[in-house]
Amino acid sequence: METFGKKLRYLRQEKGLGQVALAKELDVGKSVISLWELDKSEPTLSNLVKIAKFFKVSIDYLAGLEQ
């Protein structure tokens, strides 16, 4: 199963963004993006909503509830 971190990395790279650029878009630190992508941390609900809106995907997709 694809993890949240792998999905986030894929979405970020598809948009041609680096971790620093995504961190600025989401108003979090670059290290937070790195931890999420390495599956060492998970976003809060409010950050999950920001991510879903930014990438125009569902929270269910990010959480692995749908393909």
Side-chain angles (χ1 to χ4, degrees):
M1 185 166 98
E2 199 170 58
T3 65
F4 169 78
K6 288 180 183 175
K7 288 179 183 179
L8 181 61
R9 183 180 301 116
Y10 171 80
L11 291 168
R12 176 179 59 77
Q13 291 173 340
E14 280 292 299
K15 273 203 177 251
L17 295 172
Q19 289 183 340
V20 173
L22 180 59
K24 285 181 182 176
E25 288 289 337
L26 300 176
D27 196 30
V28 297
K30 184 251 179 213
S31 61
V32 172
I33 302 295
S34 179
L35 289 171
W36 289 345
E37 289 188 359
L38 294 170
D39 290 308
K40 294 190 181 227
S41 179
E42 294 181 348
T44 62
L45 181 57
S46 61
N47 281 328
L48 198 59
V49 170
K50 285 183 193 176
I51 294 164
K53 286 182 178 179
F54 180 76
F55 288 112
K56 296 179 174 66
V57 297
S58 71
I59 290 175
D60 284 351
Y61 168 77
L62 293 172
L65 300 174
E66 68 179 40
Q67 300 296 324

